[in-house]
Amino acid sequence: LALDFLIRFTFQKPPVQEIKPYQLLPVSRKAVITCHLLRSGISSYNLFWFFLLVPFAFLSLFRFWGWAGIAGFLLGWSLMIVLNNYWYLFCRTLIGENLGFVILPLSFYLLWGVMDFFPEGHILSQLSMNYFEGFFMWNPMAFLIVIIAIPLMIWLVQRVQEHYIYKELGKTENESLKKVSEYKFLERFGDIGEYLRLEIKLTMRNKMVRTPFILGVSLMTIFSLLLSLTEIYDNAFMTDFIGIYSFVVLGVMTLTRIMSVEGNYMDGLMSRK
């Protein structure tokens, strides 16, 4: 579930960014948010982890619980992944407003991991294990808990998104034009310098680009420190992987925004220098 959250953080768009363009249509804001949340819940991406869960179920469960055990296992985990999706949307909305909220998912998954593995076999670890065993044993309580949690999480995400969308669209104050930096030192690089200047301006002016940039630099720094100060990645594959990762992560995190809504900004600057 933690890995699912992390991958969504990399590839799934921020909720406010997806909803905001529809505010131009004669549709209520609440209806747009509800539609977005329902589409997110039935998205085919939620089946992504079945490539791991299905073979695991056949290898580990079939000989003991048969087809019924596999069906319950996959149904339960699909519900958990849907719940994890709404948990991601809740955290992503808050992090988009204030980067400090990143401590919320970090604390949640870290505490859950500590609860499950240190020390082994304590009551909280047993409780977690028994709950997930309830899926393939078709324990009604295991399914009921997650079925109740999903609509509660949808309601919570809806309220948070309504608040922040209203806050973002409700700004009416007029700000005087501030001094614009030209970054003339980049002119020596010709066209490359021009694109560097555009990317710097884009990152500084837009929170949706600036936040992933800060996160990307933080991840690069963490990986580089681990590589330099510990022996955890002292093998050829991980050394090459981190070297490549540090070069491509910022481009991957920024490219989807530049090629979509931010393309209008880039086109505007290039055509009216």
Side-chain angles (χ1 to χ4, degrees):
L1 292 174
L3 189 58
D4 175 63
F5 184 95
L6 184 62
I7 293 178
R8 290 178 188 275
F9 204 93
T10 306
F11 293 104
Q12 196 168 337
K13 290 183 180 179
V16 175
Q17 184 178 347
E18 286 197 336
I19 294 170
K20 190 164 57 174
Y22 293 95
Q23 298 305 301
L24 298 173
L25 299 177
V27 183
S28 72
R29 184 177 303 148
K30 186 174 182 178
V32 172
I33 295 175
T34 302
C35 181
H36 165 71
L37 293 178
L38 293 177
R39 284 184 58 193
S40 179
I42 62 174
S43 170
S44 59
Y45 177 81
N46 294 324
L47 302 177
F48 171 77
W49 290 105
F50 272 44
F51 86 93
L52 178 66
L53 296 174
V54 170
F56 175 82
F58 274 99
L59 290 172
S60 302
L61 301 177
F62 183 73
R63 55 182 172 172
F64 299 108
W65 286 277
W67 291 104
I70 290 178
F73 173 81
L74 296 179
L75 176 60
W77 267 97
S78 63
L79 291 173
M80 287 298 300
I81 291 172
V82 170
L83 179 61
N84 203 50
N85 166 67
Y86 290 119
W87 166 246
Y88 160 80
L89 293 176
F90 174 73
C91 294
R92 189 68 180 87
T93 304
L94 295 177
I95 292 170
E97 184 65 22
N98 188 333
L99 192 58
F101 280 109
V102 74
I103 195 66
L104 188 62
L106 283 177
S107 301
F108 175 75
Y109 292 112
L110 182 63
L111 288 174
W112 194 355
V114 170
M115 180 189 77
D116 265 355
F117 298 109
F118 303 103
E120 185 177 355
H122 65 88
I123 185 171
L124 293 177
S125 177
Q126 289 292 324
L127 181 64
S128 176
M129 183 179 67
N130 291 336
Y131 174 75
F132 282 92
E133 280 184 348
F135 290 145
F136 55 81
M137 297 179 69
W138 284 95
N139 185 332
M141 188 59 65
F143 291 96
L144 185 62
I145 289 174
V146 68
I147 288 173
I148 293 175
I150 287 175
L152 289 177
M153 202 70 215
I154 291 175
W155 175 81
L156 184 61
V157 175
Q158 187 176 37
R159 295 299 301 270
V160 171
Q161 289 191 9
E162 286 178 355
H163 170 75
Y164 283 117
I165 289 176
Y166 179 80
K167 180 179 178 181
E168 187 164 344
L169 296 179
K171 294 179 179 178
T172 57
E173 66 270 15
N174 294 321
E175 296 183 1
S176 58
L177 183 63
K178 299 178 182 178
K179 185 179 183 299
V180 179
S181 301
E182 296 293 335
Y183 307 108
K184 291 186 179 296
F185 65 92
L186 294 172
E187 292 180 355
R188 71 183 73 177
F189 301 111
D191 289 340
I192 295 177
E194 188 69 23
Y195 281 105
L196 286 171
R197 179 169 16 206
L198 287 174
E199 190 160 350
I200 292 172
K201 287 179 178 288
L202 175 67
T203 303
M204 294 183 67
R205 67 174 278 276
N206 192 320
K207 181 172 61 178
M208 292 300 180
V209 178
R210 185 168 61 250
T211 301
F213 175 82
I214 295 172
L215 289 174
V217 171
S218 301
L219 289 173
M220 289 164 54
T221 304
I222 292 171
F223 275 134
S224 299
L225 289 173
L226 288 173
L227 188 65
S228 303
L229 303 178
T230 72
E231 299 179 356
I232 189 171
Y233 292 137
D234 279 2
N235 61 74
F237 172 77
M238 288 306 300
T239 302
D240 293 341
F241 168 76
I242 294 174
I244 296 172
Y245 177 87
S246 295
F247 276 102
V248 303
V249 60
L250 293 179
V252 170
M253 297 177 78
T254 309
L255 184 64
T256 54
R257 292 166 176 81
I258 293 178
M259 297 299 288
S260 56
V261 293
E262 290 304 324
N264 297 327
Y265 173 73
M266 303 292 280
D267 291 341
L269 285 184
M270 291 301 292
S271 61
R272 289 186 287 276
K273 189 173 180 178

